[in-house]
Amino acid sequence: MNSERLRELVDRYYLGIAPEDEVAELDAELREDSHARDVFIAAARLETNLYDEAINAVPAMESGGDPVARRLPVRAIGAVATLARSLKTPSTVAIAITLIALLALVFWPQHPADRTFVTLEQTRAALWESGDLPTADGSRLERGTLRLAEGLATLKFDSGAEVVLEAPASLILTDAMNCVLNRGTAVSDIPESALGFRIKTPSADVIDYGTRFAVSVHEETGETHTHVIEGRVQVEYAQSDEVVELTTGQRNTVVGDTIGKVTDDAEHEHKTIAVKPLDHGPGWTMLESVRDAYTGNNEDHNSDVLLLVKKAIQDGRVNRIAYIGFDLKDINQQHIEEAELLLYFAPTGWGLASHMPDATFSVYGMIGDATDWDESILHKERFPAALGTPEVVHLGSFTIPQGVQKGCFRVRTEALSEFLRTHPTSEISLKVVRDTVARDNGTLVHGFASRRHPVLPPPTLAIRQQAR
Amino acid sequence: MRLFVRHERELRAYARTLLPTWEAVEDTLQEASVVIWKKREQLDDEAAFLPWAKTIVRFEALKTRRRVARDRLMLSEETIARLADQAAESPDGLLDRERSALQHCLQQFSDEQRKLLLAPYLSSGGVRDMAERSGRTANSLYKLLGRLREKLSQCVERRLTTATDGGMS
């Protein structure tokens, strides 16, 4: 028997959860192997020490720590057992044990004064919906619900777990080791102290064993997507005992009645969740980009999952411009009443945010030959649809405030709707450029999620059509 | 009884090796303490107390085993006999050194984790109760507990090795 199996059997035996076959297996090993007996005897010492710690911890955790009460449970168990046997009435034992359990409950620590266990460390461009918790940066939070309509919020649990909540999201704080994500995305960083940190979702429980991972929940379907960035997590299917383990780079989706298979980065692209923006009700169709890429290749400055956008100097090949393609084949373009483009920005890690003032971005529609581009060639030195030519139409602009690098930014203009309505084909090409030039070199590179991003939604076109 | 109190923890660990539950251990120690009291005249050397008391605990443990055999999964008598012989030779003071290592190691866990680590000893359904309160399955909590216990025991071992090395130099 290998030592791992032996330790497991010993541990389960002492916890009283080993079934008959495991006890038999352990028995055979202990009978034959003196080293196994050493392990078993050492475990009994650890058990004894833990037992003593537990007995002492009960009153120690309440204020004062009365020395008489310290050994009370154990003394009482022993004394009552002796007494019960002398009386020959086994039921007394049961009654006494119940009493002791009650005593233990009374001694169990309660902190009515401070029930908080989470600090709302910082928010970025956050907009909160009604919830029952304070939302100022630095607030200490107790049990309750956070509803983030826009932006990002970083939560630090007292267990050490850090969770970045990405809007739109709804999170119930349960305790320092547990929370419930009902919609949106939570990216967690779990140190050793929070081993076992759990995020419950409507369809699964994701339990962390020391790692960074992302969980996304689609509000309407309850679909849970889990992606392990580093480390190991366990995904438990809510409706049965089914469990899968994910390690670095692996993903899993739990949908409805099924716990999906585990996939690796290399093999599959992650299907991001179409997070439904808050103000798109019934009647809206959400289209995800079918192709996207950016120009301005710089050998060591690339991203596979973000579309990089930058303007360093007025013109030049180091500038980066993003291109996005949508397919409107399932839309009756003439009936488009309203349209909105949603881009989910995330930090790229390049450039200095402090050197970047409020940044304005413009979205252009491409027409004619300019629409003829594909993802593979864009990294080269091609800039389809140069600005100022008849091949581009300005559709709208948005501004990202200084210091903000994350969040959903939108363009919702009549020019965009008109462009989609009148475009001669169903294939739509848009380009996104940054208008604002940074103060000097080392300028910030902005980036938004491409359709390959593991967690953030891809560029999305929300379209409302005329009711027929 | 002074000797019994001084060695109670060693005797408890010894009894734990031989018995399937803490309840059985406490019963056995109660019985053994009575026997030790009654037979105290037999002992003329204090230094011989622990081995002598262990023999009594072993005998009482066998009686307890027979009593609880019906409703408990237990190791065979032959295995227990071998364990009893081997555990009788445990080095003095090891249990206490391990205790202080354990106290140090427990500090490295969060409050929640400590609570879980100690839950099995506070009531028989401690872990199950915790599972219910936190909305987890008992299965998953036991799995987590297993990992925490593994970490804890590694920490204790490591600390003991370091302390021993340090003490030698």
Side-chain angles (χ1 to χ4, degrees), chain A residues 107-124:
Chain A
F107 286 131
W108 199 253
Q110 288 173 353
H111 304 286
D114 183 10
R115 294 179 204 275
T116 64
F117 52 86
V118 174
T119 306
L120 178 56
E121 287 220 317
Q122 60 170 354
T123 55
R124 285 272 182 261

Side-chain angles (χ1 to χ4, degrees), chain B residues 3 45 49 60 141 147:
Chain B
L3 284 171
D45 180 8
F49 175 80
E60 292 301 324
L141 213 59
R147 290 184 209 276

